Amino acid sequence: MSSASPAAAPDTVLVVDFGAQYAQLIARRVREARIYSEIVPSTMPVAEMLARNPKGIILSGGPSSVYAEDAPAIDRALFEAGVPVFGMCYGFQIMATTLGGTVDDNGAREYGRTPLKVTRSGSTLFEGTPDDQSVWMSHGDACSAAPEGFTVTASTDVVPVAAFENDEKKLYGVQYHPEVMHSTHGQQVLEHFLYRGAGIEPTWTTGNVIEEQVALIREQVGDKRAICGLSGGVDSAVAAALVQKAIGDQLTCVYVDHGLMRKGETEQVEKDFVAATGARLVVVDAEKRFLDALAGVSDPETKRKIIGREFIRVFEQAQLEIMQEEGPDVAFLVQGTLYPDVVESGGGTGTANIKSHHNVGGLPDDIEFELVEPLRQLFKDEVRMVGQELGLPDEIVQRQPFPGPGLGIRIVGEVTKDRLDLLREADAIAREELSAAGLDREIWQCPVVLLADVRSVGVQGDGRTYGHPIVLRPVSSEDAMTADWTRMPYDVLAKISTRITNEVADVNRVVLDVTSKPPGTIEWE
Ligand code: XMP
């Protein structure tokens, strides 16, 4: 790309959020169909939705009954604007009632997997799908009569109108949740709406995202300079790589080595990231500073506060040094904010500023940076795809979640250099064996924890030992909000246990954490 003007906005589908957690999943499914989607609250005026020039609108499910007093409504104008609309679950019912159909509480509750009978197999939504399919239901009220002009296209044993469409007006609806995996032909039905109903071409790809963002970043930053803090995680690495692609050496990356990283991770940033992107990187070796600050501290909250505080101090000092070297043109701070964070903090598309305070002479006390957030529109899996396309190594792009305070919160007890080294070894063994067994995708993350304040008796070689236990905490999860312990193969556990007790001095016991979240958190701290 040589032009500095932004690429044309992609065809967009708006997902109207009626309050449950389905909207994000729907938006992801639309993007899986290679069409760009954005989530908007159901309280947004219809005129504002239409002003975004959507090529289609999806009404999500939600927790309310359409007849509840405080049930979110939708302006009829939405259905009269000529924009194709697809209602799902609550969205289906609100569409039915708004357009004159009947929804009532006839006792026809359905939750979970439900058989669906397609009654119009050639319909826009169901063409090419089987007459009998399994769908995911979650409703109390049910639609008993479709609005005038609509054709009923499917039913269930208890719900006469489980799907309808008005092809002429481009309005479609299903009582169930096509976005969840349990609806066996859900994605196909969604794609039928997008491609056949709304007539949108599937042209949105991560390649487009890169092109679009590169143009936007160039426009935003101009000939000024930017700083990006790298944490070793996926998001900051991909954000930095995108900005690097756009503005090259106008970007300086800063990596604070706090000494709490896992084995090999600092090298990944120092060598592999730089090799893949050509980015200018400043590494601040702050291990001693962090360990001094953590000396004698066992309380987890205090540890977190100390690590957070030291991190900001070290990062700001590095910022200042860069500014002193490069002059006042350093006006931008790159951050790896993702779309779920944007949605959860109330949406918004504007650019924010961030104030940086410090007490070092030579520059004003308050410096205001404008934020560059090139991942604001993306979900995590899309960020990984962008990273891959930008040539970042798999070790960075496919990295499992790792807490900012690092191994500092995986040592229960005081954090010391010796204990960190010990934990790093044990953690490296566990990671190596999990990868060798092909479990990286199945396991969301596997914290390895050192119980530094616990000792127990063991026997190793000819002697009695009094060593520390290591805890393995493999969890399966969708989003880390809830998690279950992973039922991983005994032989892999056995291998990890044998290797850790043989190879890591002062560890004579390996235990498996079999607690789900809740009640247990993923990290021990
Ligand atoms: P918990 O322990 O609360 O962890 O079940 C949920 C998820 O968050 C990660 N985690 C953090 N990530 N900074 C981070 O960037 C942190 O301070 C932090 N603490 C926990 C944890 O690894 C898990 O994925």
Side-chain angles (χ1 to χ4, degrees), residues 444 475-484 516-518 520 522:
W444 168 267
V475 293
S476 305
S477 178
E478 293 267 325
D479 53 10
M481 302 293 283
T482 61
D484 198 4
S516 60
K517 172 185 179 178
I522 293 175

Side-chain angles (χ1 to χ4, degrees), residues 70-146:
D70 54 353
I74 200 88
D75 188 340
R76 194 185 167 94
L78 181 87
F79 303 108
E80 291 165 350
V83 179
V85 182
F86 186 11
M88 301 175 177
C89 196
Y90 183 82
F92 166 79
Q93 297 189 349
I94 199 83
M95 189 171 191
T97 52
T98 307
L99 296 176
T102 311
V103 172
D104 41 33
D105 182 2
N106 62 358
R109 289 167 209 291
E110 286 172 310
Y111 294 98
R113 241 182 270 263
T114 307
L116 180 85
K117 186 102 197 145
V118 175
T119 50
R120 284 284 178 117
S121 50
S123 65
T124 296
L125 290 191
F126 291 109
E127 192 181 83
T129 72
D131 287 348
D132 292 296
Q133 42 191 279
S134 186
V135 298
W136 192 257
M137 287 285 192
S138 167
H139 66 98
D141 304 333
C143 181
S144 54

